[in-house]
Amino acid sequence: PQVGIFALTIVFVGVLHMGIAGAVAAILGGRIIGLVMALWLLRKDHMPPKLLSLYVNRPYARELFQHGKYVYISNISAFLNYRVDIVMLTLLSTSRSVGIYDVAVTLVERLWSLSDALSLVLLPRIASLSQDNARRQSLTPLVTRYLFWINVIVGILLAVFAEWFILLVYGAE
């Protein structure tokens, strides 16, 4: 979805100048593209026959919601924790300063995408090595070192090209 959102944002906001409506359409369109691609990749052998069934297994759904409510509360508190700086800056400074700060924070937070993607791949792999403790303990530091240097390089590139990228994506205003 992120690639679709990015591409549609460039088209709707950058090329067609649709503003906020274009940004919302890009987010929605990117999510739909991601869903369609996932269903297409899962077709045939991997898609269960009752995937689009309206049947709801109530005990299972109740268990999901029981666990999910704690995850949801955690996500909300993390989101608010990450955004309390914006609220404080809004109270103490100008809208221009808040906008510049928010763009900078958003760009830096994109560096987390690398770690997030890697954790999706690495955590199941490490869990599958529960019997091979030596291999598991050697894999984690190795991947961490590589990720560290990749983040350093991407961070330096971001610092060098940030002004150009911000003007390209957000415009001079």
Side-chain angles (χ1 to χ4, degrees):
Q2 299 303 324
V3 174
I5 291 170
F6 181 71
L8 290 175
T9 300
I10 289 173
V11 171
F12 292 156
V13 178
V15 176
L16 299 177
H17 305 290
M18 292 175 60
I20 293 175
V24 171
I27 292 170
L28 186 61
R31 301 283 181 194
I32 291 171
I33 289 170
L35 175 65
V36 168
M37 293 226 14
L39 290 174
W40 182 76
L41 291 170
L42 289 172
R43 67 190 191 284
K44 294 186 183 179
D45 301 334
H46 302 290
M47 189 178 297
K50 293 185 178 183
L51 178 68
L52 300 176
S53 170
L54 296 177
Y55 170 74
V56 176
N57 182 337
R58 290 183 192 270
Y60 184 66
R62 188 176 303 114
E63 186 177 332
L64 285 177
F65 281 113
Q66 288 289 74
H67 177 70
K69 70 182 176 186
Y70 299 113
V71 174
Y72 186 69
I73 290 170
S74 171
N75 286 342
I76 288 175
S77 65
F79 175 78
L80 293 175
N81 187 35
Y82 291 144
R83 297 298 176 237
V84 73
D85 55 347
I86 300 287
V87 173
M88 290 174 58
L89 192 58
T90 302
L91 295 173
L92 300 172
S93 188
T94 65
S95 296
R96 183 177 191 281
S97 298
V98 174
I100 292 169
Y101 177 80
D102 189 52
V103 168
V105 168
T106 301
L107 284 177
V108 171
E109 285 178 349
R110 290 300 104 206
L111 289 175
W112 295 347
S113 299
L114 297 169
S115 301
D116 290 344
L118 190 65
S119 70
L120 284 173
V121 174
L122 185 63
L123 291 177
R125 171 96 174 162
I126 290 173
S128 71
L129 295 173
S130 62
Q131 303 301 321
D132 190 357
N133 202 27
R135 191 160 175 217
R136 186 179 71 215
Q137 288 179 348
S138 68
L139 179 65
T140 303
L142 176 73
V143 171
T144 303
R145 276 192 298 273
Y146 281 117
L147 181 63
F148 171 77
W149 288 112
I150 290 170
N151 276 335
V152 166
I153 292 167
V154 171
I156 290 170
L157 290 172
L158 180 61
V160 170
F161 295 108
E163 185 175 353
W164 172 82
F165 184 73
I166 290 169
L167 289 174
L168 175 72
V169 174
Y170 295 102
E173 297 81 22

